[in-house]
Amino acid sequence: MDKWLLKLPKNKKNHESNEGDREVEASSSSCTVVELDNNDIGSEIQPSISAIEVVPVQEPVIGDAIATDDANANSQQMRNEIEVTRKRKINTNTRAQEIEAIDLESDDHGEEAENQVSIVRKKKRFTYKFRDSWLQLDEFKNWLKRSSKVQNNNEFAKCIICNDDILAHKADICRHSLSSKHKKKFSQVAANNKIDNVFGKNTQLDLSTRRAELKLTGFLASNDLPFLLMDTLEPLCKDIFSDSQVAKNISIRRTKATAIMQAGLGEIISRDLFKKFEKPGAFFSIIMDETTDVGSIKQCAFVIIYFCEDKKKVVTRFFDMVEVASGTAKDLYDCLRNTITSKKIPFENLVGFSADTCNVMFGEKNSVFTMLKQDLPQVVCVKCSCHMIHLAASKACLALPRSVEDLVRNLGSHFSRSYHKQQKSMEFQEFFHVKIHKILHPSVTRWLSLQGCVDRVLEQYVPLREYLRETVMSDPSRTTDEMLLTMNNKFTKIYLEFFPTLWDS
Ligand SMILES: [Zn+2]
C-alpha cells in the first residue's frame, strides 16, 4: 500500500491528526507531519485541507534495516524541506509586516507611503513612458508628438503624418520612421508649401499681388466673362507688364479664380448685402422667378430692391439662387421664406413682392401671393412689369404676319454656320457702303434677344435683299425664295420698324 506524508500547519495539528499512532514527527514549531494511506488521501481529509502539502513517500522494499535507513534518510530530507518552507514563510511574513507597517504609517505620511507602495508596484511591472526629450531630436521633431492614447499604463507617441499611434518605445518609433509607408508620406509632405510660408510673410509685394488677383477675378465676374478666360489672361498680363514685379508674381488660373469668387469675394459681397437688412425696419422688396436650367434642375432666383442710403437711390441687386424640389406654391413659398430667414433677416422687413403672372405665384387660391398675404398683410404685391410688357408685346405681335418673324429667324440660321455665305454678304455690304456687320441669330428662349436681330436686319436691309436676289439664282432653295418674297413685300420694313416702337414704349 502507498504511504503519504501530510505536512500540516501547527494550529491544525490537533484538529486533523488526533490519532496519536499516525503522528510521526513534529519537527518544527510551524509544521506537523502526519502519515496517511491511500484511503485517507482519497476520502474526507483531502478536500478539507487545501492549505497543506501532501508528499508521496517511497515504501521500503529491500529489507527492514535498509528500510529503516531509508526512512531516516527520508525524514532528514523532509526536515530540510520543512526548514526551507519555514524560512520562506518567515520571509513572507516579514514582507507582509513591512507593507503593513507602510500602510499604518500612511495615515501620517500619506503621499510618502503611497510613493513607496507605488515603487513596490513599479518594480513588479515595466511600463513605457513618452519622453519629451524625443521631441527635440532631429530625426523625430518634424513628425512626432505625444499621443493621448494610454493602454495598460503604457503611453503612446503619435506620427502626425501617418496619423498612427506608436508605443512610446524608442526602438518602435525608430522602426516606424524607417517604414516605407512613413517614408513615402513624409516625402509627399516635405514637398508641400508650408502654410506659414503662404500666410506668414505678408510683404507689400504679396499684398499687391493678392489685390491684383482679386481685381482680375472681379473683372471677369462683373463683365459676365467665363473663368476659363483666366487661363489666357494671366500669361497675357505677365507678357504685357513684363517690367512689373506684381504681374510677375501673379499666379491665378480658372480654378483659383472660381474659388476666390465662390468662397471669397462672393461670400463677402453677399454678407455685406445681407447685413444691411438684419435690423428691423430695414425694408426691401423681392423679385422671384423659378426656372429650369440646362441640367433640368429647378432653380429659384431672387433679386432684391431697396433704397441705398449711401447712393441715395433705389438699387437692384442679385440676392440668391437656390434649388427647389418642385414648383408648387407651398414649396416656392417655403423657399422664399427660408431664403430670407436663413440670412438672419427678419421676414417682416419684406414690404414688396413681385413675380411673373402665373397661377402658382398670383392665383386667387393657394398661391405664393395668398400665403404671403396671410403672413404679412401689409406687403405690396406687384405683377412683374417685364413679364406683363412681354405678354402685351406678344399679343400685339399676333396681329403681325407670321412671315416677318420667320424672316428674322431664317436669316439668322442662313448665315450662322457658313463662312462662305458671310463673306459673300460682306461683299454686298461693301458695295452698298453700309457697316460690315454679322447677321444675328435670335436666341431660342430669351425674348429680348429678338430686338437686336430686328435692328441688324433693318440696318442691312438693302444689301441683304440684293444678296438674296443673287442667291436665288446661284443656289436656289425654298427658304431663300420665301425670304426674298418677304423682303420684297413693302410692308415688311414697316412691320419691322414697328418692333422697336413696341419695346421703346
Ligand atoms: Zn509616420
PDB file of all heavy atoms in Angstrom, residues 159 162 176 182, ligand 1:
ATOM      1  N   CYS A 159       2.463  59.674 -34.794  1.00  0.00           N
ATOM      2  CA  CYS A 159       3.067  60.204 -36.020  1.00  0.00           C
ATOM      3  C   CYS A 159       2.020  61.084 -36.685  1.00  0.00           C
ATOM      4  O   CYS A 159       0.969  60.580 -37.089  1.00  0.00           O
ATOM      5  CB  CYS A 159       3.485  59.075 -36.945  1.00  0.00           C
ATOM      6  SG  CYS A 159       3.995  59.698 -38.553  1.00  0.00           S
ATOM      7  N   CYS A 162       1.403  60.032 -40.585  1.00  0.00           N
ATOM      8  CA  CYS A 162       0.650  58.800 -40.870  1.00  0.00           C
ATOM      9  C   CYS A 162      -0.604  58.705 -40.007  1.00  0.00           C
ATOM     10  O   CYS A 162      -1.450  57.854 -40.237  1.00  0.00           O
ATOM     11  CB  CYS A 162       1.506  57.578 -40.616  1.00  0.00           C
ATOM     12  SG  CYS A 162       3.093  57.636 -41.410  1.00  0.00           S
ATOM     13  N   HIS A 176       9.250  52.739 -36.980  1.00  0.00           N
ATOM     14  CA  HIS A 176       8.197  53.395 -37.769  1.00  0.00           C
ATOM     15  C   HIS A 176       8.795  54.401 -38.746  1.00  0.00           C
ATOM     16  O   HIS A 176       8.383  54.484 -39.899  1.00  0.00           O
ATOM     17  CB  HIS A 176       7.202  54.092 -36.841  1.00  0.00           C
ATOM     18  CG  HIS A 176       6.159  54.869 -37.585  1.00  0.00           C
ATOM     19  ND1 HIS A 176       4.997  54.304 -38.062  1.00  0.00           N
ATOM     20  CD2 HIS A 176       6.138  56.166 -37.984  1.00  0.00           C
ATOM     21  CE1 HIS A 176       4.312  55.206 -38.705  1.00  0.00           C
ATOM     22  NE2 HIS A 176       4.967  56.343 -38.670  1.00  0.00           N
ATOM     23  N   HIS A 182       5.773  55.341 -43.989  1.00  0.00           N
ATOM     24  CA  HIS A 182       6.123  56.630 -43.394  1.00  0.00           C
ATOM     25  C   HIS A 182       7.030  57.440 -44.322  1.00  0.00           C
ATOM     26  O   HIS A 182       6.829  58.635 -44.515  1.00  0.00           O
ATOM     27  CB  HIS A 182       6.803  56.407 -42.047  1.00  0.00           C
ATOM     28  CG  HIS A 182       7.249  57.666 -41.390  1.00  0.00           C
ATOM     29  ND1 HIS A 182       6.411  58.434 -40.617  1.00  0.00           N
ATOM     30  CD2 HIS A 182       8.447  58.317 -41.430  1.00  0.00           C
ATOM     31  CE1 HIS A 182       7.071  59.489 -40.184  1.00  0.00           C
ATOM     32  NE2 HIS A 182       8.306  59.453 -40.660  1.00  0.00           N
TER      33      HIS A 182
HETATM   34 ZN    ZN B   1       4.590  58.018 -39.918  1.00  0.00          ZN
END
